[in-house]
Amino acid sequence: MNKAKIVIAGAGYGGMNTAVALSKKLGHNEASITLVNKHDYHYQTTWLHEPAAGTMDPDRTRVKISDVLNTNKVNFVQDEVLEIKTDNKKVMLKDGELDYDYLVVSLGAVSETFGIPGVHEHAFTKWTLNGARQVKDHIDAQFANYNNTADPHEGMLTFVVAGAGFTGIEFIGELSERIPELCKKYDVPREKVRLFVVEAAPSALPGFDPELVEYGMNLLESRGVEFKINTPIKEVTASGVIVGEGEEIKSETIVWATGVRGNPVIDQSGFEANRGRIKVEPDLRAPGFDDVFVIGDCALIINEEINRPYPPTAQIAMQMAKTCANNIVTLNKGGSNLESFKPDIKGTVASLGGKEAIGVVGSKKIYGGTANFMKKMIDNRALFILGGPMLTLKKGKFPL
Amino acid sequence: MNKAKIVIAGAGYGGMNTAVALSKKLGHNEASITLVNKHDYHYQTTWLHEPAAGTMDPDRTRVKISDVLNTNKVNFVQDEVLEIKTDNKKVMLKDGELDYDYLVVSLGAVSETFGIPGVHEHAFTKWTLNGARQVKDHIDAQFANYNNTADPHEGMLTFVVAGAGFTGIEFIGELSERIPELCKKYDVPREKVRLFVVEAAPSALPGFDPELVEYGMNLLESRGVEFKINTPIKEVTASGVIVGEGEEIKSETIVWATGVRGNPVIDQSGFEANRGRIKVEPDLRAPGFDDVFVIGDCALIINEEINRPYPPTAQIAMQMAKTCANNIVTLNKGGSNLESFKPDIKGTVASLGGKEAIGVVGSKKIYGGTANFMKKMIDNRALFILGGPMLTLKKGKFPL
């Protein structure tokens, strides 16, 4: 018995779907599969704007790993990955180590701060389940404190989102929907609350269709969101953000959403990388490594049409998982004819809170209710692919 | 150049999805793919109860084949398949013939009459797009005629569904929902209309969970549907149906939904078959034929758990298409290690008209709004698999 040892590091969209696919494709005798992840749950990263703003129970976004993985076929190890030692084919964990014959690096991204001072100290930067709960509780606490303070100071109810990309827009969409309810609950006049989105680039949602961006911005402005576009953040302080030419926006709540970079383990392990992302071969292996696949947030692939990297999305991570699993099965059978990965972008929909959304599906622009339903379909589809109809039923977004 | 000729006969769920999958997997130089179908459109057979009852525009259920198939890669031939000559590898058409190296038989089912006299003469038996339009127009005409007849006779507004299986129940669900609207439109008192479902078996929806069956029957009865269970139909006549011990239900509208059998081409071509269905090998080939795959309604596979055949469903046909396409690609590359087909039954949901449905998803029973939404998800998913998000957007069931 000399079964190949397959280790999957990280249980996000890429890692989970690789594990599920491999558990279906490989028999007990063909390989031993191990999934290692910090938590015993997977969560829907693309849903986090909802629990972060308080419009969804955070439990809805997570899935217990043992609920969807066949744990007879996949060993699950709850631990944190610290480093990959490619020389002796080991994954170093906080509390141990794992040997591998094939490794799938599917670790998640972390916030990109661009070296701006004060971000880690004063902003919420963790776009994780834990991070989302923290943001939500902090927002609630700001409201709760407001009428219990002798002299409520400026900035207590000013909420700043740094970055008007996908995450920032989806978060402010939810939060702007929830503000009237928070004001009512905590007896706060609506005009005391200010919502800012600060973006360094010349447009919100860069790369998105301009007509859709305008629709989205108008909608959010009608809910009281103030955009500061073309406005770099110079510094984050305990009392707010310094933007543009030194103007300060007083705020005790800065949510950082200016983009992401690959997992620090990539640099830590000595891979050649660009902001923590490895430019993978067409078969999704790290250049120079026959036995290391990299998928999801840490994989860099180029969109040839515009000669720029694809953004790391759940959609691409899930598609990579499929190719990665197929290629490992081929290698494990002694084959060498590996699949090349080609992303198949079905479309992109950004929710704007409530029943609003904007998006592009194929070549068609969609708005409002149609986009909102499509977004739900996309979210349910991810659950379906991961855990079948039972998971969809349990955690899905049903308009009931 | 000696490219393999692949012929796919029939553009239902099985054939269409095989064609789409092959067009993605095979390059121009690897094979020539031909799809032959009677019409230049595919239709969603599982939706036909809606246009048949008049609750959906029939155009919603059909998809132009050239809209979803890459016709640069798949030749489409609009013609009717009459016979398969396996000896010289030809598909005989009404207006020509096609040579094949690999054949996929994905022809649709036809109604099973069990030899009951008068069915073909006096009942609506065609569960096709054309058939559904005919039923709908006939129902409307019965209402329109009612107040234009000097002496409206018994049975003019009595509608009989033969068979309380899936199709019969879904159809009466739609029709019972529409009756109040028809009565209003044509000034017909509701009590003049009678709706019957006649079933020979001891229960409606045989094989379905009894609790769900009861829920469904109660609901339909509350809309005025009368069930005659355990009641075989002896004969269909110009004036109605003779049931049980000779009782006649007067009716001018008998919709036949007692089940289906495989396509007559199967028997015509001399395959060994059971009611037009070929018991296929695990790799989906017809026994004794290396080059003939049979999928969908004409393929018989056994559910080992209960030692009975799986009913021919869209779900299974679509799954078979995937395996079939993979196996043809393998054979075409000179391989011999074919996949075995394993159905993966995600669940079953029957709509009951309006916002009502019943179903089983995994091991969970669902009712009402949840089941209704799940049904829509299932229907949209079929569109998504076939034609991606654009088709879903165009033809999907959105609760708007």
Side-chain angles (χ1 to χ4, degrees):
Chain A
M1 286 295 288
N2 198 7
K3 290 197 292 186
K5 289 189 280 289
I6 303 168
V7 173
I8 302 164
Y13 294 100
M16 278 302 281
N17 281 292
T18 304
V20 167
L22 286 176
S23 73
K24 286 181 183 166
K25 284 169 188 284
L26 291 172
H28 282 289
N29 304 328
E30 292 179 276
S32 93
I33 309 168
T34 302
L35 173 68
V36 54
N37 193 58
K38 199 170 173 179
H39 307 288
D40 65 353
Y41 55 84
H42 158 87
Y43 56 84
Q44 307 291 105
T45 311
T46 61
W47 299 18
L48 289 177
H49 53 284
E50 297 178 69
T55 52
M56 178 190 271
D57 182 336
D59 264 353
R60 282 278 303 284
T61 70
R62 69 169 154 183
V63 177
K64 208 158 178 262
I65 288 171
S66 59
D67 279 355
V68 288
L69 260 196
N70 180 345
T71 45
N72 289 323
K73 280 196 160 179
V74 181
N75 313 308
F76 174 65
V77 174
Q78 186 176 347
D79 205 335
E80 198 177 335
V81 175
L82 299 182
E83 192 187 340
I84 294 153
K85 297 206 184 237
T86 50
D87 286 348
N88 39 10
K89 296 185 162 217
K90 277 183 196 299
V91 178
M92 310 308 292
L93 310 174
K94 207 167 167 187
D95 294 314
E97 56 181 61
L98 293 168
D99 292 317
Y100 66 81
D101 294 306
Y102 301 110
L103 174 65
V104 179
V105 181
S106 45
L107 297 164
V110 297
S111 274
E112 176 64 275
T113 68
F114 302 106
I116 296 167
V119 176
H120 284 303
E121 296 81 350
H122 306 296
F124 293 94
T125 58
K126 281 192 197 144
W127 211 245
T128 61
L129 186 73
N130 277 320
R133 289 190 295 216
Q134 200 186 14
V135 169
K136 191 262 181 188
D137 290 348
H138 173 83
I139 293 169
D140 288 3
Q142 292 294 107
F143 275 87
N145 291 339
Y146 189 77
N147 283 327
N148 289 308
T149 305
D151 180 24
H153 41 288
E154 201 190 337
M156 263 190 100
L157 294 178
T158 296
F159 302 94
V160 176
V161 176
F166 221 79
T167 304
I169 292 294
E170 290 200 310
F171 173 69
I172 203 73
E174 295 299 316
L175 184 59
S176 60
E177 266 287 293
R178 192 168 171 243
I179 291 298
E181 178 200 317
L182 283 166
C183 288
K184 194 164 170 232
K185 177 170 175 190
Y186 292 102
D187 297 317
V188 170
R190 174 64 186 85
E191 63 274 18
K192 299 289 177 194
V193 181
R194 296 189 71 182
L195 304 173
F196 286 96
V197 176
V198 184
E199 169 62 53
S203 153
L205 291 172
F208 228 57
D209 178 274
E211 208 179 297
L212 293 175
V213 174
E214 202 187 324
Y215 177 96
M217 286 178 74
N218 286 343
L219 185 98
L220 293 170
E221 282 171 346
S222 78
R223 295 193 197 137
V225 176
E226 299 170 59
F227 283 95
K228 296 213 168 256
I229 300 298
N230 232 335
T231 307
I233 293 177
K234 294 291 191 313
E235 190 180 346
V236 185
T237 68
S239 61
V241 288
I242 317 290
V243 300
E245 301 307 310
E247 183 198 349
E248 184 181 30
I249 304 173
K250 296 257 187 221
S251 168
E252 296 178 359
T253 314
I254 322 290
V255 176
W256 201 256
T258 61
V260 294
R261 51 183 292 133
N263 196 284
V265 166
I266 299 296
D267 288 333
Q268 180 64 32
S269 307
F271 287 102
E272 196 178 309
N274 183 354
R275 293 172 53 199
R277 297 176 79 192
I278 298 172
K279 195 171 168 206
V280 290
E281 301 287 353
D283 58 20
L284 299 179
R285 287 187 286 190
F289 295 94
D290 279 353
D291 44 15
V292 179
F293 290 83
V294 184
I295 64 175
D297 292 346
C298 294
L300 181 69
I301 52 168
I302 300 294
N303 182 344
E304 308 283 359
E305 281 176 39
I306 55 172
N307 200 30
R308 290 195 52 190
Y310 281 101
T313 62
Q315 184 176 191
I316 290 183
M318 289 165 68
Q319 292 176 4
M320 284 177 157
K322 212 171 153 186
T323 299
C324 173
N326 286 343
N327 285 347
I328 288 177
V329 169
T330 301
L331 289 177
N332 194 49
K333 280 185 179 158
S336 60
N337 193 2
L338 300 194
E339 269 180 34
S340 289
F341 177 70
K342 272 196 224 84
D344 176 15
I345 307 299
K346 310 274 189 196
T348 309
V349 184
S351 76
L352 300 172
K355 293 196 176 298
E356 281 290 345
I358 48 178
V360 176
V361 167
S363 57
K364 202 168 147 52
K365 294 175 208 175
I366 53 177
Y367 303 81
T370 305
N372 178 259
F373 184 76
M374 209 66 189
K375 181 79 176 177
K376 287 195 169 63
M377 285 271 300
I378 291 168
D379 288 343
N380 289 344
R381 195 172 121 81
L383 291 173
F384 194 96
I385 290 170
L386 179 63
M390 282 294 274
L391 183 63
T392 315
L393 205 56
K394 198 167 156 194
K395 302 277 183 174
K397 294 182 175 174
F398 289 62
L400 296 177
Chain B
M1 286 296 289
N2 198 6
K3 291 197 290 186
K5 288 189 280 288
I6 303 168
V7 173
I8 302 164
Y13 294 100
M16 277 303 281
N17 282 291
T18 303
V20 168
L22 285 176
S23 74
K24 287 180 183 166
K25 283 168 188 284
L26 290 173
H28 281 289
N29 304 327
E30 292 179 275
S32 94
I33 309 168
T34 302
L35 173 67
V36 55
N37 193 58
K38 199 169 173 180
H39 307 289
D40 65 354
Y41 56 82
H42 158 86
Y43 55 86
Q44 307 290 105
T45 312
T46 61
W47 299 18
L48 290 177
H49 52 284
E50 297 179 70
T55 52
M56 178 190 271
D57 181 336
D59 263 353
R60 282 278 303 283
T61 71
R62 69 169 155 183
V63 176
K64 206 157 179 264
I65 288 171
S66 58
D67 280 354
V68 289
L69 259 197
N70 180 344
T71 45
N72 288 323
K73 280 195 160 180
V74 181
N75 313 307
F76 174 65
V77 174
Q78 186 176 348
D79 205 336
E80 197 178 335
V81 175
L82 299 182
E83 192 187 340
I84 294 154
K85 296 204 186 245
T86 51
D87 286 348
N88 39 10
K89 296 186 162 218
K90 277 183 195 299
V91 179
M92 310 309 292
L93 310 175
K94 207 167 167 186
D95 295 314
E97 57 181 60
L98 293 168
D99 293 316
Y100 66 81
D101 294 306
Y102 301 110
L103 174 65
V104 179
V105 181
S106 45
L107 297 164
V110 297
S111 274
E112 176 64 275
T113 66
F114 302 105
I116 296 167
V119 176
H120 284 302
E121 295 81 350
H122 306 297
F124 293 94
T125 59
K126 281 194 198 142
W127 210 245
T128 62
L129 186 74
N130 278 320
R133 289 191 295 217
Q134 200 186 15
V135 169
K136 191 262 180 190
D137 290 347
H138 174 83
I139 293 169
D140 288 2
Q142 292 294 106
F143 275 86
N145 290 340
Y146 189 78
N147 283 328
N148 289 307
T149 306
D151 179 23
H153 41 290
E154 201 190 337
M156 263 191 99
L157 294 179
T158 296
F159 302 93
V160 175
V161 177
F166 221 79
T167 304
I169 291 294
E170 290 201 309
F171 173 70
I172 204 73
E174 295 300 315
L175 184 59
S176 60
E177 265 288 293
R178 190 166 173 245
I179 291 297
E181 178 199 317
L182 284 166
C183 287
K184 192 162 172 235
K185 177 170 174 189
Y186 292 103
D187 298 317
V188 170
R190 174 64 186 83
E191 64 273 17
K192 299 289 177 194
V193 180
R194 295 187 74 180
L195 304 172
F196 286 96
V197 176
V198 184
E199 169 63 53
S203 153
L205 291 172
F208 228 58
D209 179 273
E211 207 179 297
L212 293 175
V213 174
E214 202 188 323
Y215 178 96
M217 286 178 73
N218 286 343
L219 185 98
L220 292 170
E221 282 171 346
S222 78
R223 295 193 197 137
V225 176
E226 299 170 59
F227 282 94
K228 296 212 168 254
I229 300 299
N230 232 334
T231 308
I233 293 178
K234 294 288 193 315
E235 189 180 347
V236 185
T237 68
S239 61
V241 288
I242 316 290
V243 300
E245 301 307 310
E247 181 198 351
E248 185 180 30
I249 304 173
K250 295 255 186 224
S251 168
E252 296 177 359
T253 314
I254 322 289
V255 176
W256 201 257
T258 59
V260 294
R261 51 183 293 132
N263 196 283
V265 166
I266 299 296
D267 288 334
Q268 181 63 33
S269 307
F271 288 101
E272 196 179 308
N274 182 354
R275 293 171 53 199
R277 297 176 79 192
I278 299 172
K279 196 173 167 203
V280 291
E281 301 287 353
D283 58 21
L284 299 179
R285 287 187 286 190
F289 296 94
D290 280 352
D291 45 14
V292 179
F293 289 83
V294 184
I295 63 175
D297 292 346
C298 295
L300 181 69
I301 53 168
I302 300 294
N303 182 345
E304 307 284 356
E305 279 175 40
I306 54 173
N307 201 28
R308 291 195 51 192
Y310 281 101
T313 62
Q315 184 176 191
I316 289 182
M318 290 166 67
Q319 292 176 4
M320 283 176 157
K322 213 171 152 184
T323 300
C324 173
N326 286 343
N327 285 347
I328 288 177
V329 170
T330 301
L331 288 176
N332 194 48
K333 281 185 177 156
S336 59
N337 193 2
L338 300 193
E339 270 180 33
S340 289
F341 177 70
K342 274 195 223 85
D344 176 14
I345 306 299
K346 310 276 190 197
T348 309
V349 184
S351 75
L352 300 172
K355 293 197 175 301
E356 280 289 345
I358 49 177
V360 175
V361 167
S363 56
K364 203 169 149 48
K365 294 176 209 175
I366 53 176
Y367 302 81
T370 305
N372 178 259
F373 184 75
M374 209 66 190
K375 181 79 175 176
K376 287 195 168 64
M377 285 270 300
I378 291 167
D379 288 344
N380 289 344
R381 195 172 120 82
L383 291 172
F384 194 96
I385 290 171
L386 179 63
M390 283 296 274
L391 183 62
T392 315
L393 205 57
K394 198 168 157 194
K395 302 278 183 172
K397 295 182 175 175
F398 289 62
L400 295 178

